[in-house]
Amino acid sequence: MLTGVIVIIVAAILVGVYVSWRAGRLDRLHARVEAARAALDAGAALDAALVRRSSISLELAASGLLDPATSLLIAGAAHDARAAGEPDERAESDLTRALRAALGQPGFRADLAARSGGDEALAELEAAAHQVFLARKFYNDAVAATRASRRRWLVRLLRLAGGAPWPEFFEIDESLVDEDSTGRGADMPHLTAGDPPAQAS
């Protein structure tokens, strides 16, 4: 009888420790998402990278290095991204597509590189696009880990997430190079190092 009571007490303690650990982990994951969301909303990592990319795009459009139609295309998309006030998936994707259309014109890079300041402008744009890629990946990784943890049966049964909102991914078209023949787009932009490397099929 005493042995059975001890077993029950030990089992209850182990379950309590596990539930406490699971709740603590979920809380830490939510904190990680909120930190990434703060970077998105409050002007740190992703927001700063998106603002920098649109600023550089506006500078490029106003630099006189581009033809009028290309300048207008990029300036309009960059202005819309800035005017959104906070990161907007559609506006940021539209800016990416405008930049990709401009940069994908035959001979565009060679023509721009032949002009004073052209290489520097492309290098700045590439660096900003790279930062967008990294910051968005960090945010979405945090969201994925939190969503996976919240799907566990114990978390749902005991409502360990409380009233925390369900975290959402931030999805944009961010590749500045066209898809290759396999239909896969490049994850990272390659603007200043010549043509994008071919991906293995």
Side-chain angles (χ1 to χ4, degrees), residues 80-175:
D80 290 345
R82 291 291 294 274
E86 60 183 30
D88 178 84
E89 293 176 348
R90 186 173 62 179
E92 295 297 341
S93 291
D94 287 346
L95 176 55
T96 299
R97 286 188 279 271
L99 291 168
R100 189 166 57 223
L103 297 168
Q105 297 175 75
F108 180 88
R109 290 187 200 134
D111 183 56
L112 195 56
R115 303 183 184 200
S116 176
D119 280 338
E120 292 81 359
L122 285 177
E124 282 189 83
L125 189 59
E126 181 179 29
H130 183 68
Q131 284 304 114
V132 168
F133 171 83
L134 293 176
R136 192 179 76 85
K137 184 177 187 310
F138 170 76
Y139 175 77
N140 283 346
D141 285 349
V143 169
T146 305
R147 288 167 70 109
S149 182
R150 287 186 63 162
R151 286 192 184 99
R152 293 180 181 272
W153 69 270
L154 187 62
V155 171
R156 289 186 282 116
L157 178 66
L158 300 179
R159 299 182 61 82
L160 296 181
W166 189 258
E168 298 294 338
F169 294 105
F170 186 76
E171 298 295 351
I172 63 170
D173 180 354
E174 64 191 6
S175 178

Side-chain angles (χ1 to χ4, degrees), residues 6-39:
I6 292 174
V7 168
I8 291 172
I9 291 173
V10 170
I13 290 173
L14 290 175
V15 168
V17 168
Y18 177 76
V19 169
S20 176
W21 172 81
R22 177 58 62 189
R25 172 168 167 71
L26 187 60
D27 185 59
R28 288 190 299 275
L29 286 170
H30 273 289
R32 183 179 165 201
V33 169
E34 287 308 310
R37 183 178 295 279

